[in-house]
Amino acid sequence: MAALSKKPVEFNQRLADLRTNGKAAEANLLTLLRELKETSGPHLQVRHWKLALEETSKMALTHWKSVIAEAKKKLAHTLKHFNDQDRHYACWLLCGVNRQFFELLDGRIPVPNPEVSFDRNYCLSYDRPLSSKALRSIAGVVRRTVNKVRRDSVCYPRTQAFHNRIDFDASCYTVRSTEDAQFLELMSLQPGKRISLRLKGRSKIRGTLQLIRDTADTYSLRVYVPQQCEEKRKTGTVIGIDLGYTEMMATSEQELLGTDLGQYFSAISDKRRKNSEGRNRMHSLFRNLLKKPNKDNLAKAERIRKHNLGRKKQRARYIRDIGVIKTIVNRELNLLFTRKTNPIKQIVVEDLSARMKVHFGKKWNRRLSGWMRGYLQERIRYKAKKHGIEVSEVNPAYSSRECPRCHCTDKKTDTGIHLSARFAGTTDMLTWLLR
């Protein structure tokens, strides 16, 4: 980044050196940044440019690694029909984010170079190199697979327009405390001037900060600090947890937690449906008024757009409603994991990451789509790790109908109580399983 502030002669010499050393992409990037710097208007300072480029490079590297991993899965069946040398060449093309991979994407035929240490192992493995026809054929198969993966499976991540974020490392801010409050001074677009923010509370601020603006035009500051976790518990009980909609969860100890959570889920879903119906009517009226443009219709359409079709208040109401649900979830988990009597050593919970394919009707499908099962699982993992509790996730498929000892399914009653459990003298699956 220091090259951007050099004189034109020194800057051009730097570009020539980069291109001579085979770093044309870096030279093109410096040229683009130099052009942006010379334009009028406020610009990001050098430190912010460096943070943005570091994050972008990490995101691009992760994307290409995902593409390569998915392409290897797609080619696994095809490579079984290749001989050892052909298979070795195909794997060499996808061995990482390297020169041959990008040459392949550019439409060229990568050829291993024995003078390069990375390619030498491949070249020394076989006495005779592959013919140009074989190289072209194998490279074509791999290239088509990679392009299909990029088109259908792994797409390049795109930043959402409403989710604006900027990072500040330790050199981009200073913390100032007074008797009344704590202030955070952030680097601005103008050198030598900082933006002072008054914080609501007091805390130890260190590391990289993230300033985020959401759709409700509210700003939040995220500070990442290392979490102090307890040591893994060696004594205690093992319980099973069944997540639900009407109640937050049911334990194997015949205890229901968060019994009012389903009412909040249903109320939020029904309220959003009612608001959406009203907004749809306003959208329809707005479009009809624009089809008949005159002075009165345009003025009325503008009033509807300004007062009835905004998303600021809608987003604020949704965040407020979701905050109530998050409070209930965290409260119940804290009470469960920090109880003094009969402490917990391990919990067994269902893995609900798979997409639900069962249809329960329009009303309940809408309600279940708002069920925050992902947030529930994330908080269970977080709270359990914090308190030193082991988490075991099991496949929920047919878990209520399968015998935990013989793994048979009782098709007659669909109760899941097989002969082994009936002879054990209990009808509760989780209690029998964990006894």
Side-chain angles (χ1 to χ4, degrees):
M1 301 301 296
L4 297 177
S5 58
K6 292 184 178 181
K7 296 181 180 180
V9 177
E10 297 178 353
F11 181 76
N12 293 332
Q13 182 63 34
R14 174 62 175 168
L15 294 181
D17 295 340
L18 290 175
R19 291 192 173 93
T20 304
N21 296 330
K23 299 181 179 180
E26 186 175 347
N28 295 335
L29 179 61
L30 284 177
T31 304
L32 176 62
L33 295 179
R34 180 82 172 210
E35 294 175 355
L36 292 175
K37 184 179 180 180
E38 294 176 352
T39 57
S40 60
H43 302 92
L44 291 177
Q45 296 194 40
V46 176
R47 189 58 188 170
H48 279 158
W49 270 116
K50 184 177 180 180
L51 291 174
L53 291 175
E54 287 178 353
E55 183 179 358
T56 305
S57 61
K58 290 180 182 179
M59 183 175 61
L61 182 62
T62 304
H63 167 71
W64 290 119
K65 287 183 178 179
S66 302
V67 170
I68 292 174
E70 188 65 24
K72 288 181 178 179
K73 294 181 182 179
K74 299 287 185 182
L75 285 170
H77 180 71
T78 305
L79 294 179
K80 293 180 181 179
H81 304 285
F82 288 7
N83 57 40
D84 292 341
Q85 189 172 4
D86 294 348
R87 190 184 306 110
H88 196 171
Y89 175 72
C91 294
W92 176 76
L93 294 175
L94 299 176
C95 63
V97 186
N98 297 314
R99 169 190 60 85
Q100 62 269 23
F101 177 72
F102 291 105
E103 287 183 359
L104 179 72
L105 296 182
D106 291 340
R108 292 178 286 176
I109 309 299
V111 179
N113 186 4
E115 298 180 358
V116 180
S117 59
F118 186 80
D119 303 347
R120 190 174 297 120
N121 295 331
Y122 171 80
C123 296
L124 296 178
S125 300
Y126 305 98
D127 298 332
R128 295 193 309 175
L130 291 172
S131 62
S132 59
K133 183 178 179 181
L135 293 176
R136 188 182 304 106
S137 176
I138 299 172
V141 173
V142 177
R143 185 187 302 110
R144 286 191 295 271
T145 304
V146 171
N147 290 334
K148 185 177 180 180
V149 168
R150 295 174 61 193
R151 183 177 63 252
D152 300 336
S153 303
V154 183
C155 299
Y156 195 81
R158 297 181 180 180
T159 305
Q160 299 178 357
F162 67 87
H163 197 76
N164 296 329
R165 191 197 80 192
I166 185 170
D167 295 347
F168 298 88
D169 65 354
S171 63
C172 297
Y173 68 88
T174 55
V175 182
R176 180 171 54 88
S177 299
T178 61
E179 297 180 357
D180 299 333
Q182 189 178 26
F183 295 87
L184 186 67
E185 297 180 351
L186 303 174
M187 180 186 293
S188 63
L189 297 178
Q190 299 180 3
K193 293 185 179 181
R194 297 209 167 191
I195 303 172
S196 181
L197 299 179
R198 181 188 177 99
L199 304 181
K200 291 184 177 180
R202 293 177 180 268
S203 61
K204 295 181 180 180
I205 299 177
R206 62 176 68 90
T208 302
L209 310 181
Q210 290 185 349
L211 184 65
I212 298 177
R213 180 180 67 87
D214 58 13
T215 54
D217 288 337
T218 58
Y219 291 85
S220 60
L221 192 68
R222 296 185 181 179
V223 183
Y224 293 89
V225 295
Q227 180 65 51
Q228 299 294 334
C229 300
E230 300 179 5
E231 295 183 359
K232 191 174 181 180
R233 298 181 182 179
K234 299 180 180 179
T235 59
T237 60
V238 182
I239 67 170
I241 293 178
D242 185 13
L243 302 179
Y245 180 85
T246 55
E247 295 85 14
M248 189 181 84
M249 64 177 63
T251 67
S252 57
E253 299 174 344
Q254 308 298 327
E255 183 182 4
L256 298 179
L257 303 178
T259 55
D260 55 346
L261 193 64
Q263 299 177 3
Y264 283 103
F265 279 132
S266 300
I268 293 174
S269 178
D270 296 342
K271 183 170 66 174
R272 296 192 71 186
R273 177 191 60 81
K274 185 177 180 180
N275 293 338
S276 298
E277 290 178 353
R279 289 176 63 89
N280 290 338
R281 289 194 294 268
M282 290 293 102
H283 271 292
S284 178
L285 180 59
F286 176 76
R287 290 192 295 266
N288 292 334
L289 290 174
L290 293 180
K291 292 179 180 179
K292 302 176 181 179
N294 56 55
K295 185 177 181 180
D296 296 336
N297 289 348
L298 293 178
K300 187 175 181 179
E302 179 61 24
R303 290 195 298 270
I304 292 175
R305 185 197 64 80
K306 182 178 180 181
H307 300 289
N308 301 101
L309 299 181
R311 294 187 178 274
K312 184 176 180 180
K313 293 183 178 179
Q314 181 189 29
R315 180 67 178 174
R317 285 195 299 265
Y318 179 72
I319 293 176
R320 185 172 60 251
D321 295 337
I322 294 300
V324 177
I325 294 178
K326 292 182 178 180
T327 301
I328 296 175
V329 171
N330 288 279
R331 181 192 64 199
E332 297 294 341
L333 290 178
N334 288 334
L335 293 175
L336 178 65
F337 292 155
T338 59
R339 66 184 187 183
K340 300 298 182 181
T341 60
N342 198 11
I344 301 172
K345 180 183 68 174
Q346 180 184 2
I347 60 173
V348 182
V349 65
E350 298 173 321
D351 183 9
L352 300 178
S353 58
R355 184 180 178 182
M356 294 185 297
K357 299 181 180 180
V358 182
H359 297 280
F360 301 97
K362 183 178 180 181
K363 177 180 178 180
W364 276 103
N365 283 342
R366 172 176 49 80
R367 288 183 174 181
L368 289 175
S369 65
W371 179 30
M372 300 170 60
R373 52 178 181 163
Y375 180 77
L376 288 172
Q377 287 188 302
E378 186 271 330
R379 298 313 291 176
I380 289 175
R381 298 190 191 104
Y382 171 79
K383 296 287 185 181
K385 184 177 181 180
K386 180 180 179 181
H387 295 287
I389 300 174
E390 184 180 355
V391 178
S392 299
E393 296 184 351
V394 297
N395 187 2
Y398 304 103
S399 59
S400 61
R401 297 166 50 187
E402 182 179 316
C403 174
R405 174 174 294 180
C406 59
H407 301 286
C408 295
T409 302
D410 194 340
K411 299 181 179 180
K412 295 182 179 180
T413 60
D414 285 346
T415 60
I417 309 299
H418 208 248
L419 293 177
S420 56
R422 291 171 183 168
F423 292 155
T426 178
T427 57
D428 180 33
M429 292 296 294
L430 285 173
T431 303
W432 181 87
L433 175 61
L434 301 172
R435 66 189 177 90

